[in-house]
Structure formats: C-alpha cells, structure tokens
C-alpha cells in the first residue's frame, strides 16, 4: 500500500480545526469475569495461562448457559463513574450488541446502550506545561471483552495475508468499562498532546481507584481515538475516523497527529474522508483502513433478556463516593510541593509513569531526590535495555534499602549500581548482594593506610607537593587507592588519612 500524503501539521491547522473524541476501554481486575465464574487472574498469571483455559460455558456461548452479573465489577464501575464526575443512574440496563465476533462465542456482546451506569461527567487533564483542560464525559458503561485472534502464516502476523487464525477465549467475558467523551473542541495545535494527557489521566484515575492495572501494552487499557476536521469558517463537522486500540501514550499522540495531517491533505486535494475504523502501525507511524464504521442502528441493540436492571442503592453510591481517592491533578501538585521538586524534575516522574513507584520508594524510607534519581536514571536505563517496565526489575522497597546502604556509607554510588544489578539478577536483597559479593565500602584505617603507603611508594613526589600546599595532588593517591581496592575504599577517609600524613 502506498504511503499516504501528509500535509504539514501547522498548515493543516491553518485550514482546519481538529475535533476529537475518545473511547477508552478499561479492563477491571476482578477475580472472575463479568458474567461467569471463570477466573480473571492478574496480568502475569493471565498472560501465562494456556489458551482457552480461563473459560466457562457462558464465555463460550454454550446453549443453556446464563449470565450472572459480577457484583465487584458493578462497584468498580460506579467508583470510576464517580471519579469522572458522572451522575450514577438509579437504574441501568444491559443490552445485546449484535454483530459477528469470531472471538466471542455468542456472536453478540453484552454491553450497555441507552441506559449506562454513569453519564454526564468531566475530567480535568494537565498538559506538560501545567495547562489544565476539561474533557467532557458523555458516559461510562459496562460490558464484556472479546477474546483474542492470532493470525497464522503470512509475513506480518496481521489478518492480511494470513493463512488461518487461532482463537483464544481466555479474554472473552473479562469485565470492561468503556468511557466515551463528548465531542472535544478547541484543542487546536495541542490536539495530539491533549489526547496523550487524557489517556494518562484515565490511567491515573483507575490506578488510584485500584480497579485495573491499566497497562496499555498489556491491553487492559485501550484507546480508540476519533478525529475529524472542520474547515475554518464553517460550522459543519467533518467525517470522523476511529483509530483503534493504540497501545502506548506516545502512540496515542502520534496517531492523532498523523490523522490530522492525513485528513487535511485529502480534503485540501478535494477528496472525502471515509467514516471507518483505522489501525495504527507502530513500526511505520501510520494508520491503515479497517472496516466501515457502523452506527448504533447497525448493531441492532435490544435489552438483554437474561439480566435484570442494575439499581444501586443510594447508600452504596455514597459509600463509594466517600472512598474516592484524591484527584490525580491535585495529588500531583501536592506531591511536587511535598517532595520539593521543580516542574522539570516532576515531569520526569509524571511523564515516565513512575509517580506511584517513586511515592512507594519514599514511603519505604528513601529521600525524594534519591528515589527520583534511581527510577529515572539507572533503573530506567536498564529497563529500556531489557525492554521491560522499570517495576518488573526491582521493587520500591529494595530501591529504598539500596539507598539506605548508600546513606549509611556502606556503599558508594558506583558500588550501589553493582548491587542494583545483583538484585535485578535475582541474587537477593541489597544487603544480601553486598554480603555475597563483598561489595561494602572499606573504611578500616589499617587497610586504607596500607593501600595509601603502596600508592605513595609508587608516586614519591606527591607527598612533597601536598606538604607544599598543593592539596589537589592528593587526588592522584586517592585514585590509585580506589583502583587498588576495586572502588571499595572510603574515599573521604582516604583523603583524611593522606592529609594527616602530610601534616606530620
């Protein structure tokens, strides 16, 4: 397929106004599925499970099986709705959404249509420079996830060119909340940044509530980005496209920018935009056509006959409202002040998705500056090299314990990096790695004096220079001692001993 022509982004914004909308799907971390008692284990266990083992008759659509609503999923959905500033419906109903799902055995999805659990809300998102933008929320509704298809054969692993597909029903029936925005106007040149910030805000909210792992790369948070362009000077909205299941924050931003540039060029050339879903390709940074986008009538919604309406008690809603955590924007600003970070220092933590782990590291006893240094520095470097999440390498508690060894003088920064590598390699806690590898700083005067004497013997003129007032000459001896003791000498104590020797 030939690459699409793209208009320069600034030129596109001169001619057209971008109009956005988002549908974000959040997988809930309930113990069982939305409508069955099949297990719904946490990330690692879920992905390690053999295909088609986390299933029950309802998930496969077997005749005679009936759905039963997951109470915890209802509570989580209400909490999320409240956190999004939504009203909670006194009565909401499930509906059948009909079209062919090869990875959902019933060939329909149990969702909600005109009676969602939560509606009419808004969420405040913060851009990197601190600008606040309010995103209007139309609804948050409950539904079940579909399974997963793996396309076999062909060169790309995609459906195009595949010889056949395998279906795994493990994900079928996993509880979802779909959050749908109203139309978002006025983002202008910041539209891609707003898209990224909005998805980050949803991730922060659901993690704060503890209702989802919310990891895009694992698929338990998924964003569909709707983009259309309105020609300057008109009120008529353009035709929208929906870019599906973008799997990273950076990709959300890139996909929105790409669609603005692609659509602008088509319209400027006199063409028309097709209302369709589009697939984002991370490797090429492009979108490609999916299927024509259906309207609600095409899904033939009707009330789910096997489920009663959901009618939460007012007392339950108020109980969940009282338990809501601090809003992410307010929490970030409070933590930045408490930790004494500058805006730039805090951006490293916030934009890297490390806020919670830095907070946990501080709670475990590390100073804020030290916690930030480890997570945004050496740990991030190692995580990137291994293509893993930073939190997969080491726990906040072990990072705090490592820093405490540095603070106590047991380790230098250089030795601490060696200990970090040992912890990541599975050799134990920081103290266990220090003991096993013999990495503690040597501060015993006897051992240090012996090393100093050896270094001075190799550089007999250095002591004379120090006695003549050229104290910086001591650096050569300190360097030799550190090399001889493999970096484990207490450099400050070595300097003290050299100067004491010179004063004699």
């Amino acid at each position: 397929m030939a690459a699409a022509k793209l208009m320069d982004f600034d030129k596109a914004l001169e001619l057209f106004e971008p109009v956005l909308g988002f549908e974000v799907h959040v997988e809930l971390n309930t113990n069982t599925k939305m409508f069955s008692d099949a297990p719904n284990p946490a990330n690692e266990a879920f992905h390690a499970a053999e295909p088609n083992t986390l299933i029950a008759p309802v998930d496969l659509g077997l005749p005679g099986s009936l759905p039963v609503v997951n109470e915890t999923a209802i509570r989580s959905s209400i909490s999320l709705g409240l956190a999004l500033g939504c009203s909670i419906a006194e009565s909401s109903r499930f509906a059948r959404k009909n079209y062919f799902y090869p990875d959902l055995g019933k060939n329909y999805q149990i969702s909600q249509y005109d009676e969602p659990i939560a509606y009419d809300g808004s969420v405040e998102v913060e851009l990197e420079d601190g600008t606040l933008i309010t995103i209007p929320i139309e609804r948050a509704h409950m539904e079940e996830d579909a399974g997963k298809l793996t396309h076999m054969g062909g060169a790309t692993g995609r459906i195009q060119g595949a010889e056949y597909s395998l279906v795994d029903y493990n994900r079928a029936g996993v509880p979802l909340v779909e959050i749908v925005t109203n139309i978002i106007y006025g983002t202008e040149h910041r539209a891609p940044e707003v898209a990224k910030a909005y998805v980050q805000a949803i991730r922060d909210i659901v993690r704060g509530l503890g209702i989802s792992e919310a990891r895009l790369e694992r698929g338990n948070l998924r964003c569909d980005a709707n983009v259309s362009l309105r020609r300057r000077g008109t009120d008529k909205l353009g035709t929208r496209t929906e870019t599906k299941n973008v799997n990273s924050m950076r990709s959300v931003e890139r996909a929105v920018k790409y669609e603005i540039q692609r659509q602008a060029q088509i319209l400027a050339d006199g063409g028309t935009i097709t209302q369709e879903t589009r697939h984002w390709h991370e490797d090429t940074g492009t979108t490609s056509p999916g299927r024509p986008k259906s309207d609600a009538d095409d899904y033939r919604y009707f009330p789910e006959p096997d489920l009663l309406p959901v009618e939460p008690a007012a007392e339950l809603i108020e109980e969940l409202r009282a338990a809501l955590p601090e809003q992410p924007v307010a929490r970030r600003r409070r933590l930045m002040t408490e930790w004494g970070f500058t805006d730039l220092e805090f951006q490293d933590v916030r934009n890297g998705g490390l806020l919670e782990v830095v907070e946990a590291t501080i709670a475990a006893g590390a100073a804020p500056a030290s916690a930030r240094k480890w997570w945004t520095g050496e740990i991030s470097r190692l995580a990137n090299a291994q293509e893993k999440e930073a939190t997969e390498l080491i726990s906040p508690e072990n990072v705090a314990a490592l820093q405490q060894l540095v603070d106590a003088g047991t380790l230098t920064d250089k030795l601490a990096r060696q200990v970090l590598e040992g912890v990541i390699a599975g050799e134990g806690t920081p103290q266990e790695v220090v003991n096993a590898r013999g990495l503690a700083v040597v501060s015993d005067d006897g051992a240090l004096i012996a090393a100093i004497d050896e270094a001075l013997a190799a550089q007999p003129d250095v002591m004379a220079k120090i006695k003549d007032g050229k104290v910086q000459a001591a650096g050569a001896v300190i360097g030799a001692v550190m090399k001889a003791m493999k970096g484990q000498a207490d450099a400050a104590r070595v300097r003290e001993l050299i100067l004491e020797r010179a004063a004699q």
Side-chain angles (χ1 to χ4, degrees):
M1 182 182 296
K5 293 170 60 180
L6 302 182
M7 182 178 288
D8 175 77
F9 185 69
D10 291 334
K11 179 65 175 177
L13 269 294
E14 289 179 14
L15 299 176
F16 302 98
E17 175 194 356
V19 179
L20 306 179
F22 301 101
E23 299 164 18
V24 174
H25 296 78
V26 179
E27 282 187 353
L28 302 178
N29 57 3
T30 53
N31 291 328
T32 56
K33 292 187 179 179
M34 188 73 203
F35 302 112
S36 81
D37 61 357
N40 180 36
N43 268 321
E44 300 301 332
F46 185 92
H47 289 279
E50 290 293 320
N52 299 309
T53 57
L54 307 176
I55 52 175
V58 170
D59 310 315
L60 300 179
L62 296 183
S65 60
L66 293 174
V68 177
V69 176
N70 186 318
E71 180 182 353
T72 301
I74 299 288
R75 294 175 66 97
S76 296
S77 301
I78 293 172
S79 292
L80 180 52
L82 292 171
L84 296 171
C86 291
S87 299
I88 304 301
E90 293 182 3
S91 177
S92 68
R93 186 184 294 273
F94 286 102
R96 289 190 182 182
K97 181 180 181 182
N98 294 274
Y99 68 86
F100 176 64
Y101 288 83
D103 47 3
L104 196 58
K106 300 187 294 290
N107 284 338
Y108 62 84
Q109 180 189 38
I110 301 179
S111 182
Q112 292 189 307
Y113 173 45
D114 56 345
E115 300 177 71
I117 187 72
Y119 60 94
D120 289 348
S122 64
V123 61
E124 194 171 51
V125 305
E126 184 177 18
L127 305 186
E128 289 190 6
D129 65 357
T131 300
L132 297 178
I133 293 181
T134 300
I135 303 296
I137 303 297
E138 176 189 311
R139 56 194 278 138
H141 64 260
M142 300 177 288
E143 59 187 25
E144 60 181 334
D145 210 344
K148 181 180 179 181
L149 291 175
T150 301
H151 305 296
M152 309 300 293
T156 65
R158 302 190 183 102
I159 191 169
Q160 296 86 356
E163 298 175 10
Y164 60 95
S165 298
L166 300 176
V167 62
D168 178 7
Y169 288 107
N170 279 350
R171 197 175 65 185
V174 167
L176 286 180
V177 175
E178 180 177 350
I179 305 163
V180 181
T181 68
N182 281 308
I183 297 174
I184 303 167
Y185 301 101
T187 59
E188 298 295 347
H189 69 283
R190 306 195 77 169
E193 186 184 357
V194 169
K196 176 182 176 182
Y198 171 69
V199 179
Q200 286 177 327
I202 297 300
R203 179 198 64 188
D204 292 345
I205 287 170
V206 298
R207 285 184 176 177
L209 291 168
I211 62 174
S212 175
E213 296 294 324
R215 292 174 60 174
L216 274 84
E217 77 281 2
R218 287 285 177 83
N220 42 38
L221 182 70
R222 305 196 291 274
C223 175
D224 300 340
N226 294 282
V227 178
S228 66
L229 298 181
R230 178 163 63 178
R231 191 174 292 275
R232 299 289 180 185
T234 70
D235 294 328
K236 184 179 179 181
L237 292 174
T239 301
R240 65 185 172 90
T241 63
E242 179 184 350
T243 303
K244 300 287 288 184
N245 295 343
V246 188
N247 65 359
S248 75
M249 299 298 177
R250 179 170 174 266
S251 294
V252 170
E253 186 173 28
R254 292 173 67 203
V256 168
K257 184 175 181 180
Y258 178 87
E259 273 301 291
I260 290 172
Q261 294 179 272
R262 186 189 69 86
Q263 292 184 27
Q265 187 64 59
I266 292 172
L267 294 172
D269 289 343
T272 58
I273 304 300
T274 302
Q275 182 170 314
E276 62 186 355
T277 64
R278 295 186 67 84
H279 300 291
W280 171 251
H281 304 288
E282 183 67 35
D283 53 348
T284 60
T286 62
T287 64
S288 64
R291 59 178 173 82
K293 180 60 180 173
S294 302
D295 291 317
D297 290 346
D298 298 320
Y299 294 126
R300 296 180 293 114
Y301 283 102
F302 63 87
E304 169 57 61
D306 293 330
L307 292 170
L308 293 170
V310 176
E311 298 177 345
E315 294 79 9
L316 172 62
I317 295 172
E318 292 312 309
E319 172 194 329
L320 296 173
R321 191 192 306 277
L324 291 177
E326 188 176 15
Q327 282 291 318
V329 171
R331 177 169 170 265
R332 284 197 298 269
R333 295 191 170 187
R334 174 178 60 79
L335 290 176
M336 186 175 75
T337 300
E338 289 180 2
W339 295 345
F341 287 173
T342 65
D343 287 341
L344 191 59
E345 289 170 338
F346 198 76
Q347 278 183 24
D348 288 344
V349 174
R350 185 189 74 189
N351 296 337
L354 296 171
L355 186 62
E356 289 79 13
V357 293
V358 169
E359 185 177 22
T361 307
I362 294 168
S370 298
R372 174 186 170 275
K373 177 194 72 174
W374 281 114
W375 286 106
T376 63
E378 188 68 7
I379 298 173
S380 287
R381 183 187 70 79
L382 293 170
N384 289 336
Q386 298 182 34
E387 297 183 346
K388 292 184 177 181
E389 288 284 316
T391 49
E392 293 181 65
L393 302 186
I394 186 170
S395 69
E397 292 75 18
N398 273 335
V399 173
L402 180 61
Q403 183 58 42
Q404 286 162 4
L405 291 173
V406 175
D407 295 340
T410 304
L411 296 174
T412 63
D413 283 345
K414 183 177 180 180
L415 291 172
R417 287 193 290 273
Q418 296 180 49
V419 174
L420 173 65
E421 292 173 358
V423 174
I424 291 173
E427 297 175 21
T429 66
Q431 186 63 64
E432 289 169 344
V433 174
V434 168
N435 295 341
R437 293 193 179 190
L439 291 175
V441 167
V442 176
S443 54
D444 174 68
D445 283 359
L448 296 178
I449 289 170
I452 291 169
D453 288 343
E454 185 176 340
L456 287 172
Q459 306 177 71
D461 59 326
V462 171
M463 184 55 70
K465 292 178 181 179
I466 297 172
K467 289 184 176 182
D468 285 342
K470 298 178 181 178
V471 178
Q472 65 271 20
V477 180
I478 296 171
V481 171
M482 295 299 290
K483 182 177 181 180
M485 302 187 74
K486 299 180 180 179
Q488 291 181 242
D490 183 338
R493 184 56 182 156
V494 170
R495 180 181 177 82
E496 291 174 0
L497 291 171
I498 294 170
L499 296 181
E500 287 176 8
R501 177 74 60 85
Q504 294 174 358

